[in-house]
Amino acid sequence: MKFKCSHDSCFPDTTCALGHTSRADCEYWAGEAQPSDEDQSSAVQDTPESTSDIPWNGYVMGTSDLAILGGSGRPAVVGLIGPPDSGKTSLLAYLYMWLLEHGTVAGWSFAGSWTLGGWESVVQYSRWTSEPPPSFPPHTSSAGRHPGILHLALRSQSNGRLRDMLLTDAPGEWFSQWARVPGSTASEGARWVIEKADALLLLVDTGALADGAKTTIETPETIEACFGWAIVAATRRSPLEVGAEPRLSNDPFLALRRSHGRH
């Protein structure tokens, strides 16, 4: 039996675009029977999965892909949590479209992303390119146990520092299950988001509020301010302070040095 992925964003030589550690956990990973060869046994053999050792494909990251960001320091993690259909993926789509238009968010300039394909997958339903008209992103699949992770590199407009930010895109069913049984196996993905995040954004549907008129969708600046708060809170909890070493020589070898404590 030969296995392949039917998702538009997946390719046979890369890791799962939806962030699954094992492709067998993905709903798009399916097998199809192959015709038997007359020169071989009639028994159907499983075809081994062919993947690349490269952990990055431009789409959403899985938890096993995060090592590629470790060289420049620990990234700050913003977790989006909330019940199903509360707007977590739609909020991420809004952030990306805001950055496309303005290039900055709350005093931070866009400086790159390892997951541009993942961001584009989030907003593709929100663009009016042809029929059908734009719509909200589809419901995030609850298959698997690890959240999809989107990356942003942001540069502070005040001091020029570059910071890696990770934002989670996880299904609301995980958090509903976590609220009922925090220690269950089905809550593993929700626990990862809650435990690893440096800042959390809690989303609720306006229909669940006692008075929906306390809320507005007509002031985009309030959403920018929300992300601004999350970025500041995450960077405060996970600071990236790298002291500059003084240059003591023009010699290429001696110019790079490190301080060592005396014993």
Side-chain angles (χ1 to χ4, degrees), residues 77-126:
V77 182
V78 176
L80 278 68
I81 64 175
D85 300 322
S86 57
K88 297 181 292 299
T89 305
S90 297
L91 189 62
L92 291 172
Y94 182 93
L95 171 63
Y96 182 64
M97 297 184 78
W98 177 278
L99 287 171
L100 287 176
E101 181 176 356
H102 301 281
T104 64
V105 57
W108 293 81
S109 298
F110 175 77
S113 174
W114 287 83
T115 58
L116 286 176
W119 286 109
E120 287 293 324
S121 296
V122 169
V123 303
Q124 63 177 323
Y125 300 92
S126 305

Side-chain angles (χ1 to χ4, degrees), residues 4-216:
K4 68 177 183 178
C5 183
S6 61
H7 194 279
D8 294 338
S9 300
C10 262
F11 303 94
D13 59 344
T14 59
T15 55
C16 177
L18 298 182
H20 296 291
T21 304
S22 172
R23 296 193 183 211
D25 295 331
C26 182
E27 61 181 321
Y28 294 96
W29 186 249
E32 57 182 14
Q34 299 296 303
S36 59
D37 192 299
E38 59 182 3
D39 296 330
Q40 297 180 351
S41 170
S42 59
V44 178
Q45 302 293 328
D46 287 342
T47 302
E49 177 183 346
S50 175
T51 58
S52 170
D53 292 334
I54 300 175
W56 168 71
N57 60 11
Y59 292 96
V60 293
M61 291 180 170
T63 55
S64 60
D65 300 327
L66 301 184
I68 63 176
L69 294 173
S72 58
R74 181 186 183 277
V77 182
V78 176
L80 278 68
I81 64 175
D85 300 322
S86 57
K88 297 181 292 299
T89 305
S90 297
L91 189 62
L92 291 172
Y94 182 93
L95 171 63
Y96 182 64
M97 297 184 78
W98 177 278
L99 287 171
L100 287 176
E101 181 176 356
H102 301 281
T104 64
V105 57
W108 293 81
S109 298
F110 175 77
S113 174
W114 287 83
T115 58
L116 286 176
W119 286 109
E120 287 293 324
S121 296
V122 169
V123 303
Q124 63 177 323
Y125 300 92
S126 305
R127 290 196 173 103
W128 199 331
T129 56
S130 61
E131 296 297 334
S135 65
F136 289 105
H139 182 74
T140 303
S141 172
S142 58
R145 296 181 180 178
H146 300 279
I149 301 172
L150 293 164
H151 168 255
L152 285 176
L154 299 175
R155 188 177 297 279
S156 172
Q157 294 178 333
S158 61
N159 57 28
R161 290 187 181 273
L162 188 68
R163 192 63 202 259
D164 288 312
M165 305 291 303
L166 300 177
L167 299 100
T168 64
D169 185 16
E173 288 84 359
W174 289 2
F175 300 107
S176 297
Q177 177 66 22
W178 173 85
R180 293 191 295 266
V181 189
S184 71
T185 303
S187 304
E188 183 177 342
R191 287 198 304 273
W192 189 96
V193 174
I194 294 169
E195 293 172 0
K196 301 299 183 182
D198 300 298
L200 293 172
L201 288 177
L202 174 62
L203 285 82
V204 295
D205 193 337
T206 54
L209 300 176
D211 183 4
K214 294 178 184 181
T215 63
T216 179

